[in-house]
Amino acid sequence: MLEYLKKPIIQDLFKFFGKSRFLIQNSSLNFPVFWILSSDLLKILNFLYFYKFNSYNFLFDLHGVDERLRKNSSKLPQADFSVFYHIISLKDNSDIMFKIALSENNLQVPTITSLFVNANWYECETWEMFGIVFIGHPNLRRIIMPNNWKGFPMRKNYPCRATEEQKLFFTLKEEQTAIDMLSFKPKEWGIKNDKTGFKYMFLNLGPNHPSAHGAFRILLQLEGEKIIDCMPDIGYHHRGAEKIAERQTWHNYIPYTDRIEYLGGCLNEMPYILAVEKLANIIVPKRVEVIRIMLSELFRINSHLLFISTFIQDTGSMSTVFLAFTDRQKIYDLIELITGARMHPAWFRIGGVAKDLPKNWDVVLKKFLQWMPKRLKFYIDVALKNSILISRSQGIASYTSQDAIRWGVTGAGLRATGIDFDVRKKRPYSGYQNFEFEIPIGSGLSDAYTRVMLKVEEIYQSLKILTQCLKNMPCGPFKADHPLTTPPEKNKSFKDIETLITHFLSMSWGIILKPNESFQMVEASKGINSYYLISDGEISSYRTRIRTPSFPHLQQIPSVIKNSVISDLIVYLGSIDFVMSDVDR
């Protein structure tokens, strides 16, 4: 932490505001964490936003913590609740986190939407989950929970399981109330119904529209086919994944990570596992690193193939999506051979992976690597170079690098604007620094066609990484020799009583991690996915914050699609590459 304090930005912060206004938190996070006063928040963030050398203008995450039951917190400010702000400088590739301590009698902080527009949804979610009010917010409302929801789900005194709740009896009156709440009332959404006597048309797109993925709707304000305004409506797929993490043991939560973004599979396991390993101070063998990368890149290709083919389907072509599922089947066959499962393998373990690679994994992978490049070229020549597809997507739903930063866009949507930021290169994890591959970058304007073509090129680069995994798979164990690795190797459990006891306790009770905080981001298929974990010395996480890429991407929709037509919106939605489980969590 002392090294971070020597950075010019930190020294300038201390000099401008006074060092006494910052309480430095000691943690295993690889960036400085400061507790500040609520009254200083906007001044400090404004200073960072316009910092002379490297502007900290990317709001990566914002959320809350119920601090009331947190053990081993004597070195932290006294607080009933807290709000944290994770800010990034893409230019300097560095992070700063600020925290504000709040008492239960005064759960109020100023909104930062005047500085970071993407804070809108983050503040709304924090309010409905914890009851923390953001003063000055333009429209503080529920975005995930129903309007008639009672209580704040992320508070510690709120039940984790349905069996802890009273039995639900849904009367006809309550059913009618629920239906009425789903009806669209323009005034409640802050939308004016008329302009100089002209009545606009309002249209529900979704949630049952195929382009809206069946669990997402957009409320459109139209003048003919022209979109005057729109309002994304999320929350149809909320499962309380962060709340569930507080009741599961560190190891038993792994299967839930697969389902955060159900196309990502092991890509979702990676940030959680790495964050836990940071808490446990576990260094895994080289073989584990490469195996994890291999599985991650297989899932990346699998996700990209579905995205590309369904995008082509959204623009009017049917054949590609059926052909792509043939290719995805080959990937699933390989994943099933290695892990025993397909979409949700839950195969990564704390300190390693579940099993070593099976026989003939290399033969199956080699066949796929020979098959896929020719197939991908076929998609490009037949569909992606089609003049109709190009005319419908080139120049459509475009935005600049400044727009991408303002809305917290990551992944191909950010790189299409010309910003070179891929976590695998900028912040290598699991040994990515040992691989040779390139990051496709756009020319400066992110439009629908550019975003798709970048993901095509990303598939080629993933194939390049897989080739290196095939040729250079290290020998050695598939688990770290560490007492917190779960579970221990089976052959040792059968022969050694101490290992058997450790196995039994870790699987039935769970491992105990020391009080600390950790953070890990990864380059997932749809953008940056991250886990921020707080341990207070128990068998479960005290707070698990999951930052997903699709959440800010959907929030950006109105700013991009206004004054376009409905057909452009369909193309735009197809180019975002979002999954609603990723949004709602």
Side-chain angles (χ1 to χ4, degrees), residues 428-442:
Y429 54 92
S430 193
Y432 268 109
Q433 65 272 19
N434 301 320
F435 287 79
E436 294 183 5
F437 63 101
E438 298 175 2
I439 305 301
I441 306 296

Side-chain angles (χ1 to χ4, degrees), residues 409-441:
V409 176
T410 57
L414 176 66
R415 291 189 289 273
T417 66
I419 295 179
D420 183 5
F421 196 89
D422 186 302
V423 183
R424 294 173 296 173
K425 284 287 189 181
K426 294 295 183 179
R427 306 178 181 191
Y429 54 92
S430 193
Y432 268 109
Q433 65 272 19
N434 301 320
F435 287 79
E436 294 183 5
F437 63 101
E438 298 175 2
I439 305 301
I441 306 296

Side-chain angles (χ1 to χ4, degrees), residues 25-40:
Q25 178 179 332
N26 187 20
S27 71
S28 61
L29 299 176
N30 294 323
F31 48 83
V33 179
F34 299 119
W35 290 79
I36 61 175
L37 297 175
S38 176
S39 57
D40 290 337

Side-chain angles (χ1 to χ4, degrees), residues 7-38:
K7 295 188 64 173
I9 177 66
I10 305 300
Q11 291 299 312
D12 287 347
L13 267 176
F14 290 165
K15 183 178 180 181
F16 191 84
F17 292 97
K19 190 174 181 180
S20 61
R21 303 184 81 88
F22 300 87
L23 176 64
I24 304 168
Q25 178 179 332
N26 187 20
S27 71
S28 61
L29 299 176
N30 294 323
F31 48 83
V33 179
F34 299 119
W35 290 79
I36 61 175
L37 297 175
S38 176

Side-chain angles (χ1 to χ4, degrees), residues 320-481:
T320 312
V321 72
F322 296 113
L323 296 174
F325 268 76
T326 301
D327 303 330
R328 297 180 74 243
Q329 181 63 40
K330 292 180 181 296
I331 296 175
Y332 276 136
D333 287 344
L334 178 55
I335 292 171
E336 186 176 14
L337 173 67
I338 295 173
T339 69
R342 295 165 68 82
M343 288 186 70
H344 306 135
W347 196 64
F348 290 179
R349 293 290 183 271
I350 301 170
V353 292
K355 293 182 179 180
D356 204 349
L357 294 174
K359 293 181 180 179
N360 297 324
W361 69 269
D362 51 339
V363 176
V364 180
L365 177 58
K366 186 176 181 180
K367 288 181 180 178
F368 172 73
L369 292 174
Q370 293 171 343
W371 165 269
M372 195 62 233
K374 295 178 288 185
R375 191 74 160 188
L376 197 55
K377 186 178 184 302
F378 175 75
Y379 296 148
I380 297 172
D381 294 339
V382 172
L384 293 173
K385 288 184 178 180
N386 181 281
S387 59
I388 297 175
L389 183 145
I390 292 174
S391 64
R392 285 204 61 193
S393 59
Q394 211 164 57
I396 300 299
S398 59
Y399 52 85
T400 65
S401 58
Q402 290 80 8
D403 295 328
I405 291 172
R406 287 176 69 242
W407 289 102
V409 176
T410 57
L414 176 66
R415 291 189 289 273
T417 66
I419 295 179
D420 183 5
F421 196 89
D422 186 302
V423 183
R424 294 173 296 173
K425 284 287 189 181
K426 294 295 183 179
R427 306 178 181 191
Y429 54 92
S430 193
Y432 268 109
Q433 65 272 19
N434 301 320
F435 287 79
E436 294 183 5
F437 63 101
E438 298 175 2
I439 305 301
I441 306 296
S443 58
L445 193 66
S446 177
D447 63 12
Y449 189 71
T450 303
R451 291 189 285 271
V452 174
M453 294 309 295
L454 282 187
K455 296 225 175 181
V456 172
E457 183 56 36
E458 284 182 6
I459 292 180
Y460 282 118
Q461 297 303 318
S462 293
L463 292 172
K464 191 174 180 181
I465 293 172
L466 289 173
T467 301
Q468 295 171 69
C469 291
L470 176 66
K471 295 180 178 179
N472 304 305
M473 180 61 67
C475 299
F478 63 93
K479 284 181 181 292
D481 187 12

Side-chain angles (χ1 to χ4, degrees), residues 554-580:
L554 293 194
Q555 187 182 186
Q556 186 195 18
I557 290 175
S559 70
V560 176
I561 206 61
K562 282 182 182 179
N563 298 319
S564 300
V565 295
I566 296 177
S567 59
D568 291 341
L569 173 62
I570 302 303
V571 173
Y572 175 34
L573 292 176
S575 73
I576 295 176
D577 188 18
F578 67 94
V579 169
M580 288 312 299

